[in-house]
Amino acid sequence: MKVSAHFAREAFWGCKAVDTARIPSCWENETDCFVNGHGNFYGYPRHYYEQVPAELLESVGNSTKIVVVSRNKDMRNGDYSIDYTYRDNVTTFFRSKGLAIQAHHSSGRPDDDFVYMCSARIFVQGGGGLSELVSAAVTANGGRVFKPRKVTI
Protein backbone atom coordinates (compact mmCIF):
# COMPACT_ATOMS: atom_id res chain seq x y z
CA MET A 1 0.00 0.00 0.00
CA LYS A 2 1.36 3.39 -0.99
CA VAL A 3 0.83 6.14 1.60
CA SER A 4 1.34 9.80 0.83
CA ALA A 5 1.85 12.61 3.31
CA HIS A 6 -1.43 14.12 4.44
CA PHE A 7 -2.19 17.80 4.52
CA ALA A 8 -1.65 19.48 7.88
CA ARG A 9 -5.35 20.37 8.07
CA GLU A 10 -6.64 16.81 7.83
CA ALA A 11 -7.56 15.06 11.07
CA PHE A 12 -8.18 11.33 10.91
CA TRP A 13 -10.76 9.43 12.95
CA GLY A 14 -10.91 5.67 12.62
CA CYS A 15 -14.08 3.67 13.10
CA LYS A 16 -13.45 -0.04 13.11
CA ALA A 17 -16.07 -2.66 13.84
CA VAL A 18 -16.88 -2.94 17.52
CA ASP A 19 -19.04 -5.33 19.49
CA THR A 20 -22.48 -4.29 18.24
CA ALA A 21 -24.51 -6.27 20.73
CA ARG A 22 -23.13 -4.23 23.59
CA ILE A 23 -23.60 -0.65 22.39
CA PRO A 24 -27.12 -0.18 21.04
CA SER A 25 -27.18 3.52 21.89
CA CYS A 26 -23.65 4.23 23.09
CA TRP A 27 -23.49 7.60 21.31
CA GLU A 28 -26.30 8.99 23.48
CA ASN A 29 -26.06 6.81 26.59
CA GLU A 30 -22.72 6.18 28.27
CA THR A 31 -24.05 3.17 30.18
CA ASP A 32 -24.60 1.37 26.84
CA CYS A 33 -20.91 1.70 25.91
CA PHE A 34 -18.74 -1.39 26.25
CA VAL A 35 -15.81 -0.80 28.60
CA ASN A 36 -13.03 -3.37 28.90
CA GLY A 37 -11.55 -4.58 32.18
CA HIS A 38 -9.08 -1.67 32.21
CA GLY A 39 -11.81 0.97 31.97
CA ASN A 40 -11.22 1.75 28.28
CA PHE A 41 -14.16 2.46 25.97
CA TYR A 42 -14.61 0.66 22.66
CA GLY A 43 -16.89 3.49 21.52
CA TYR A 44 -17.12 6.86 23.24
CA PRO A 45 -20.40 8.62 23.99
CA ARG A 46 -21.00 12.03 22.39
CA HIS A 47 -20.22 14.13 25.44
CA TYR A 48 -16.64 12.77 25.44
CA TYR A 49 -16.12 14.40 22.03
CA GLU A 50 -17.70 17.78 22.90
CA GLN A 51 -14.39 19.64 23.34
CA VAL A 52 -12.59 18.06 20.36
CA PRO A 53 -14.04 20.21 17.50
CA ALA A 54 -13.23 23.47 19.28
CA GLU A 55 -9.70 22.26 20.07
CA LEU A 56 -9.19 21.19 16.46
CA LEU A 57 -10.47 24.47 15.07
CA GLU A 58 -8.39 26.50 17.52
CA SER A 59 -5.25 24.48 16.85
CA VAL A 60 -5.48 23.90 13.11
CA GLY A 61 -7.95 26.46 11.80
CA ASN A 62 -11.38 26.50 10.30
CA SER A 63 -10.44 24.53 7.20
CA THR A 64 -9.91 21.34 9.21
CA LYS A 65 -11.29 18.25 7.51
CA ILE A 66 -12.12 15.03 9.35
CA VAL A 67 -11.16 11.94 7.33
CA VAL A 68 -13.34 9.08 8.56
CA VAL A 69 -11.64 5.74 8.02
CA SER A 70 -14.16 2.91 8.02
CA ARG A 71 -15.41 0.04 5.98
CA ASN A 72 -18.84 -0.05 4.38
CA LYS A 73 -18.83 -3.74 3.64
CA ASP A 74 -18.63 -6.23 6.46
CA MET A 75 -16.19 -8.90 5.40
CA ARG A 76 -17.66 -11.31 7.99
CA ASN A 77 -21.28 -10.92 6.79
CA GLY A 78 -22.48 -9.92 10.25
CA ASP A 79 -24.94 -7.22 11.23
CA TYR A 80 -22.90 -4.09 11.83
CA SER A 81 -25.77 -1.65 11.46
CA ILE A 82 -25.22 -0.35 15.01
CA ASP A 83 -21.54 0.30 14.22
CA TYR A 84 -22.49 2.18 11.07
CA THR A 85 -25.08 4.20 12.99
CA TYR A 86 -22.39 5.09 15.55
CA ARG A 87 -20.01 6.14 12.77
CA ASP A 88 -22.75 8.23 11.17
CA ASN A 89 -23.55 9.88 14.52
CA VAL A 90 -19.90 10.85 14.97
CA THR A 91 -19.61 12.28 11.46
CA THR A 92 -22.89 14.21 11.84
CA PHE A 93 -21.59 15.61 15.14
CA PHE A 94 -18.30 16.83 13.63
CA ARG A 95 -20.13 18.26 10.61
CA SER A 96 -22.53 20.15 12.92
CA LYS A 97 -19.51 21.76 14.58
CA GLY A 98 -18.30 23.19 11.27
CA LEU A 99 -15.83 20.51 10.23
CA ALA A 100 -15.82 19.08 6.72
CA ILE A 101 -16.05 15.30 6.46
CA GLN A 102 -14.30 13.07 3.95
CA ALA A 103 -14.88 9.33 3.88
CA HIS A 104 -11.96 6.98 3.33
CA HIS A 105 -13.34 3.52 2.72
CA SER A 106 -11.23 0.66 3.90
CA SER A 107 -9.54 -1.72 1.52
CA GLY A 108 -10.82 -4.44 3.84
CA ARG A 109 -7.28 -5.18 5.01
CA PRO A 110 -6.74 -4.05 8.62
CA ASP A 111 -3.00 -3.57 8.07
CA ASP A 112 -3.68 -1.05 5.28
CA ASP A 113 -6.07 0.87 7.54
CA PHE A 114 -3.51 0.89 10.33
CA VAL A 115 -0.72 2.22 8.09
CA TYR A 116 -3.04 4.82 6.58
CA MET A 117 -4.20 6.13 9.95
CA CYS A 118 -0.66 6.09 11.40
CA SER A 119 0.46 8.41 8.60
CA ALA A 120 -1.86 11.15 9.86
CA ARG A 121 -0.37 14.35 11.24
CA ILE A 122 -3.53 14.87 13.30
CA PHE A 123 -5.57 12.03 14.77
CA VAL A 124 -8.81 12.08 16.74
CA GLN A 125 -8.68 9.02 18.95
CA GLY A 126 -11.64 6.71 19.02
CA GLY A 127 -12.32 3.77 21.30
CA GLY A 128 -10.50 0.47 21.33
CA GLY A 129 -6.96 -0.78 21.19
CA LEU A 130 -6.35 -0.09 17.49
CA SER A 131 -7.09 3.61 17.93
CA GLU A 132 -4.82 3.68 20.97
CA LEU A 133 -1.97 2.13 18.93
CA VAL A 134 -2.55 4.58 16.07
CA SER A 135 -2.46 7.45 18.59
CA ALA A 136 0.92 6.24 19.88
CA ALA A 137 2.31 5.97 16.32
CA VAL A 138 1.02 9.41 15.31
CA THR A 139 2.58 10.92 18.44
CA ALA A 140 5.88 9.08 17.86
CA ASN A 141 5.97 10.46 14.31
CA GLY A 142 5.59 14.04 15.58
CA GLY A 143 1.84 14.29 15.01
CA ARG A 144 -0.86 15.49 17.37
CA VAL A 145 -3.63 13.41 18.93
CA PHE A 146 -6.93 14.79 20.17
CA LYS A 147 -8.45 12.47 22.76
CA PRO A 148 -12.09 12.28 23.77
CA ARG A 149 -12.58 12.80 27.48
CA LYS A 150 -15.31 13.33 29.98
CA VAL A 151 -15.81 17.00 30.72
CA THR A 152 -17.41 17.88 34.02
CA ILE A 153 -19.21 21.14 34.56
Side-chain angles (χ1 to χ4, degrees), residues 47 50 150-153:
H47 63 274
E50 286 292 339
K150 192 169 193 170
V151 178
T152 55
I153 299 174

Side-chain angles (χ1 to χ4, degrees), residues 18-147:
V18 293
D19 191 342
T20 59
R22 296 184 179 166
I23 60 163
S25 60
C26 175
W27 182 246
E28 296 297 335
N29 188 1
E30 183 175 340
T31 59
D32 284 343
C33 296
F34 178 70
V35 179
N36 70 13
H38 302 287
N40 299 321
F41 283 97
Y42 278 84
Y44 286 98
R46 179 184 55 191
H47 63 274
Y48 276 68
Y49 283 105
E50 286 292 339
Q51 81 292 344
V52 172
E55 290 174 354
L56 274 169
L57 292 169
E58 181 180 316
S59 174
V60 186
N62 65 358
S63 60
T64 302
K65 175 174 41 176
I66 302 289
V67 179
V68 177
V69 181
S70 70
R71 76 179 92 173
N72 277 340
K73 181 179 179 189
D74 171 31
M75 304 309 280
R76 296 174 287 179
N77 297 319
D79 179 6
Y80 286 88
S81 60
I82 292 172
D83 297 339
Y84 300 148
T85 299
Y86 180 82
R87 174 200 61 201
D88 295 345
N89 284 335
V90 173
T91 58
T92 299
F93 169 76
F94 282 124
R95 189 175 285 121
S96 76
K97 301 296 184 180
L99 298 161
I101 303 294
Q102 174 186 326
H104 172 83
H105 299 292
S106 171
S107 67
R109 295 184 299 264
D111 291 348
D112 288 352
D113 298 340
F114 181 73
V115 169
Y116 184 73
M117 289 188 288
C118 287
S119 69
R121 292 183 184 165
I122 303 165
F123 185 70
V124 177
Q125 186 171 332
L130 179 67
S131 190
E132 192 172 322
L133 285 172
V134 171
S135 294
V138 168
T139 300
N141 288 326
R144 181 156 181 206
V145 175
F146 291 85
K147 296 183 179 187

